[in-house]
Amino acid sequence: MLQPRDTPSRERRELGGLWSFRADLSPGRDAGFAQRWYRRPLRQTGPVIDMPVPASFNDITQDPSLENYIGWVWYEKEVLLPVRWLQGDPAPRLVLRFGSAHYYSIVWVNGVQVVEHEGGHLPFEADISSVVQGSPSTLCRITVALNNTLSPHTLPPGSIQYMSDKSRYPKNYFVQNIKFDFFNYAGIHRPVVLYTTPAAYIDDITVTTTSSDGVAAVQYQVSVVGSTANSLSLSLRDQEGKVVATADGSVGELKVLNPNLWWPYLMHENPGYLYSLEVKMQAQVGGVLLEDVYTLPVGIRTVHVTSTQFLINGRPFYFHGVNKHEDADIRGKGLDWPLIAKDFNLLRWLGANSFRTSHYPYAEEIMDLCDAYGIVVIDESPGVGIKLPESFGNKSLQHHLAVMEELVRRDKNRPSVVMWSVANEPASELPPAAHYFKTVIAHTKALDPSRPVTFVTDANYALDRGAPYVDVICVNSYFSWYHDPGHLEVIPLQLTAQFENWYKTYQKPIIQSEYGADSVPGLHSDPPVMFSEEYQQAMLREYHSVFDKKRKEYVIGELIWNFADFMTNQGTTRVLGNKKGIFTRQRQPKAAAFVLRDRYWKIANESSCLPPVITSHSLFLK
Ligand code: GCB
């Protein structure tokens, strides 16, 4: 499934704005679905409210029961389609696509079911041509039923617990238990798009790149649907628009002399160099010549892992970056352009060259900017909170494999993605974890042999049953926070031991994939105490002193937890959410952001490839 793009042969329309919305707030988790509200317009079924798309629905109204709602909700939008989308011989193919909707979706068009999808963070689509092209009117009614209920077999997993003690809970009372630390926002989170293609069309493109001695090769494979007899021609253009290589046919190689390689931000004066690969398909269908054109951005770069290094284009790469969340006031996990632009500006201000998509795949719009700006990505699946023994069974495993297929298919051509992470902090010490992770990792490598694969662990190095299968050890630790709270002085000893134990056991490079401390902005204490801005700063400095020793050996990266404060379930250790951000949820810096900024620019400066404008202004501030 290719990302919808504007091309000479395709049209696209985003269905944003306000949709009609209805949740059945009566108790009982499956209550709302029985109503079959797709049969006639939603507004005729009872009171509807206006709900923005894309956005989470939880924080839009003043109703606490919608904020914490679990069960079915309904969205509906009516759109008039242009006549040219409905006629022609052959008529164009019309596709309805969701960037993501959390968690389980069923979609109808004019009352006809067109697609179902499980999973909240990846796109899905339906060819709706036959439904709308047969209809007498150009009105198209799109109805979506969404359910945010999690089970031990969903990704992420969760479970519903009914409270049967009538002396303590009302009738039918239940809660959803989750083993992950972020709010389970739900709704249509990413753009809904209608797009056309010709009846015969380019369905998928795969590119991989190699480069040595001033010559690069872009290996490609193109699949076409709707015609068996077709011709394909490809041309690769540089950023000046000059064609640098051409090829014909569905499988082949484009050779580029003196290529401009794709380099990470701060590793080169021109990071994120993208060529554009134009693929043209021509096919005779029913005596008519059809042409489809798709243009794919291509970055030429290589990735290799040794026992002590992570190499990009043959040069050692050190991850100095962050973990993020898709999370903000009001919109929850809904895609928001001002927030996206602000976050990339903050990342570059910070001197961060990388992030991990903790703990689920991020929007394609975000990934596009990583490709364009040279921000390196560890692309994580929604495999977070896999803790229950049932979540390691075959049903869960099969679903996890399917999710990896969707993720790899979506992001395989992105130069920014240098490694897949299949999970975060699973119970990897449990016996079934060995088979589970061996299988998920082998499957991911079979889908994409060009990238290393990992999962992020917080298990003991001697007990972890998944670690033997990863290419890079990614380890999370919270010394002086969850362990020995308040005792910053234990960090050097404990962190050094952590690194040495993992390295001695596996001889694989290590990334500190999380570390951090909560701080409530404006809370000060000297000497530092927990939750003050000073404590967060001091903890970072203790960690950094160990990183500086170990990065000369086999530590290849450090990713702070977290870029910004984010919302979680309510609990005794959370103050309006998780406060481990170095920025507030509103993206204002806490004191720790300046510690990190000085450090990241200093590390970047060691490779002396800083972009001049940002350097002059940031490095001399101190
Ligand atoms: C972790 C988790 C992350 C949490 C974080 C914390 O280990 O991976 O999802 O938010 O710790 O702050 O507790």
Side-chain angles (χ1 to χ4, degrees):
M1 186 201 306
L2 291 169
Q3 194 174 344
R5 292 184 191 280
D6 290 318
T7 82
S9 59
R10 296 170 175 226
E11 284 189 74
R12 160 177 91 125
R13 189 201 281 182
E14 188 174 328
L15 308 179
L18 296 175
W19 289 47
S20 300
F21 176 91
R22 216 185 143 171
D24 188 332
L25 294 173
S26 59
R29 119 179 110 110
D30 294 326
F33 195 72
Q35 314 299 334
R36 301 185 176 212
W37 281 329
Y38 57 88
R39 288 184 164 167
R40 55 201 176 111
L42 193 61
R43 68 191 128 74
Q44 290 176 12
T45 65
V48 292
I49 60 171
D50 289 330
M51 187 57 72
V53 170
S56 300
F57 60 71
N58 309 75
D59 293 348
I60 301 294
T61 74
Q62 297 310 102
D63 186 345
S65 50
L66 186 58
E67 184 181 16
N68 298 303
Y69 182 74
I70 297 159
W72 290 101
V73 299
W74 295 76
Y75 283 77
E76 193 162 274
K77 179 114 183 148
E78 292 183 324
V79 279
L80 279 173
L81 304 177
V83 175
R84 65 179 182 282
W85 287 7
L86 304 174
Q87 295 174 350
D89 192 15
R93 171 175 163 264
L94 184 60
V95 183
L96 173 62
R97 185 188 203 260
F98 292 78
S100 78
H102 193 74
Y103 173 83
Y104 186 77
S105 320
I106 309 177
V107 182
W108 295 263
V109 169
N110 296 340
V112 177
Q113 185 178 325
V114 293
V115 66
E116 285 182 56
H117 184 258
E118 174 173 351
H121 308 92
L122 287 163
F124 56 96
E125 63 180 30
D127 179 340
I128 63 165
S129 323
S130 61
V131 179
V132 292
Q133 283 161 0
S135 135
S137 110
T138 67
L139 189 72
C140 171
R141 179 166 59 91
I142 299 164
T143 315
V144 183
L146 262 191
N147 197 320
N148 59 354
T149 308
L150 302 175
S151 82
H153 310 299
T154 55
L155 272 194
S159 58
I160 296 288
Q161 185 182 5
Y162 283 91
M163 303 301 200
S164 50
D165 181 347
K166 296 210 172 66
S167 66
R168 295 171 65 211
Y169 301 99
K171 199 166 166 244
N172 287 332
Y173 194 85
F174 67 89
V175 291
Q176 175 150 279
N177 296 318
I178 51 175
K179 304 262 184 216
F180 54 87
D181 181 37
F182 53 92
F183 194 82
N184 188 36
Y185 278 113
I188 301 179
H189 281 156
R190 297 183 190 153
V192 183
V193 171
L194 276 172
Y195 72 91
T196 65
T197 72
Y201 59 96
I202 299 162
D203 177 55
D204 197 16
I205 305 170
T206 307
V207 296
T208 50
T209 61
T210 54
S211 158
S212 71
D213 302 329
V215 186
V218 178
Q219 290 89 14
Y220 71 87
Q221 198 170 346
V222 181
S223 69
V224 169
V225 171
S227 109
T228 40
N230 54 68
S231 66
L232 284 161
S233 59
L234 295 89
S235 49
L236 189 71
R237 284 174 201 276
D238 66 15
Q239 285 185 348
E240 275 72 56
K242 199 175 120 219
V243 174
V244 295
T246 58
D248 293 317
S250 60
V251 182
E253 191 174 275
L254 296 134
K255 279 236 163 2
V256 187
L257 289 182
N258 301 319
N260 287 302
L261 298 182
W262 186 96
W263 286 100
Y265 174 54
L266 300 178
M267 209 170 168
H268 192 266
E269 64 278 1
N270 187 11
Y273 191 97
L274 294 174
Y275 289 86
S276 83
L277 177 64
E278 190 184 82
V279 183
K280 236 186 220 163
M281 187 252 3
Q282 291 195 323
Q284 287 284 345
V285 176
V288 182
L289 180 69
L290 297 180
E291 183 169 281
D292 192 17
V293 181
Y294 190 86
T295 306
L296 181 77
V298 171
I300 299 176
R301 59 111 186 86
T302 60
V303 169
H304 291 108
V305 176
T306 72
S307 62
T308 55
Q309 289 181 317
F310 197 96
L311 304 172
I312 297 184
N313 299 330
R315 279 186 31 202
F317 177 75
Y318 186 76
F319 295 78
H320 43 92
V322 305
N323 292 276
K324 291 184 91 263
H325 263 300
E326 288 181 324
D327 174 271
D329 288 332
I330 306 171
R331 71 247 328 115
K333 290 198 179 303
L335 181 122
D336 179 39
W337 277 113
L339 181 78
I340 292 174
K342 180 74 175 175
D343 280 6
F344 276 98
N345 287 330
L346 288 176
L347 284 170
R348 291 179 296 178
W349 174 90
L350 195 64
N353 62 3
S354 51
F355 65 75
R356 170 166 69 118
T357 67
S358 45
H359 295 307
Y360 38 79
Y362 292 175
E364 290 150 287
E365 290 78 356
I366 295 175
M367 304 300 283
D368 285 344
L369 292 181
C370 291
D371 288 337
Y373 297 157
I375 300 292
V376 168
V377 178
I378 300 173
D379 204 354
E380 188 158 280
S381 89
V384 56
I386 306 177
K387 304 276 191 193
L388 300 170
E390 328 152 59
S391 300
F392 288 95
N394 200 38
K395 187 171 177 191
S396 298
L397 177 60
Q398 292 311 317
H399 179 55
H400 204 147
L401 299 182
V403 169
M404 292 316 300
E405 283 164 26
E406 287 183 36
L407 175 58
V408 172
R409 176 155 185 174
R410 193 194 74 161
D411 288 348
K412 64 188 169 186
N413 294 324
R414 298 186 176 282
S416 60
V417 174
V418 299
M419 180 155 64
W420 306 108
S421 163
V422 301
N424 178 68
E425 295 188 356
S428 47
E429 67 289 350
L430 294 181
H435 171 71
Y436 190 95
F437 284 105
K438 185 178 179 195
T439 310
V440 177
I441 291 172
H443 189 63
T444 309
K445 281 177 178 281
L447 293 166
D448 176 13
S450 77
R451 289 180 179 85
V453 182
T454 191
F455 75 91
V456 171
T457 184
D458 65 342
N460 180 288
Y461 73 97
L463 304 177
D464 195 307
R465 296 175 193 253
Y469 308 107
V470 303
D471 295 305
V472 171
I473 303 283
C474 287
V475 50
N476 295 347
S477 60
Y478 288 89
F479 304 126
S480 84
W481 192 262
Y482 294 122
H483 312 278
D484 304 298
H487 293 282
L488 293 165
E489 62 282 3
V490 304
I491 293 174
L493 194 69
Q494 296 188 1
L495 186 57
T496 305
Q498 167 198 286
F499 287 138
E500 286 179 359
N501 288 332
W502 278 104
Y503 195 74
K504 264 189 224 135
T505 313
Y506 288 106
Q507 292 89 48
K508 293 176 186 174
I510 305 175
I511 295 177
Q512 180 76 37
S513 39
E514 285 182 29
Y515 71 105
D518 289 75
S519 75
V520 177
L523 205 63
H524 294 290
S525 169
D526 185 30
V529 296
M530 292 174 78
F531 293 98
S532 67
E533 294 203 39
E534 287 75 13
Y535 192 90
Q536 191 182 27
Q537 285 184 306
M539 178 200 260
L540 264 49
R541 289 198 172 105
E542 292 295 342
Y543 264 79
H544 295 164
S545 66
V546 180
F547 296 160
D548 281 339
K549 293 193 186 105
K550 294 296 173 189
R551 73 190 167 97
K552 297 191 185 103
E553 302 175 37
Y554 46 75
V555 169
I556 56 162
E558 53 187 87
L559 304 175
I560 186 80
W561 190 264
N562 188 287
F563 173 75
D565 292 346
F566 58 92
M567 194 45 70
T568 63
N569 273 356
Q570 298 182 55
T572 47
T573 59
R574 296 290 175 260
V575 190
L576 267 176
N578 187 310
K579 292 277 184 282
K580 293 193 187 68
I582 54 162
F583 297 101
T584 64
R585 201 181 193 207
Q586 296 71 34
R587 276 43 182 183
Q588 295 306 322
K590 300 182 193 171
F594 296 94
V595 172
L596 216 58
R597 182 180 191 232
D598 285 346
R599 173 172 178 77
Y600 284 0
W601 280 99
K602 194 167 139 268
I603 294 174
N605 202 31
E606 289 167 8
S607 69
S608 66
C609 280
L610 300 180
V613 184
I614 304 181
T615 326
S616 55
H617 149 119
S618 60
L619 284 178
F620 301 111
L621 261 184
K622 220 186 136 194

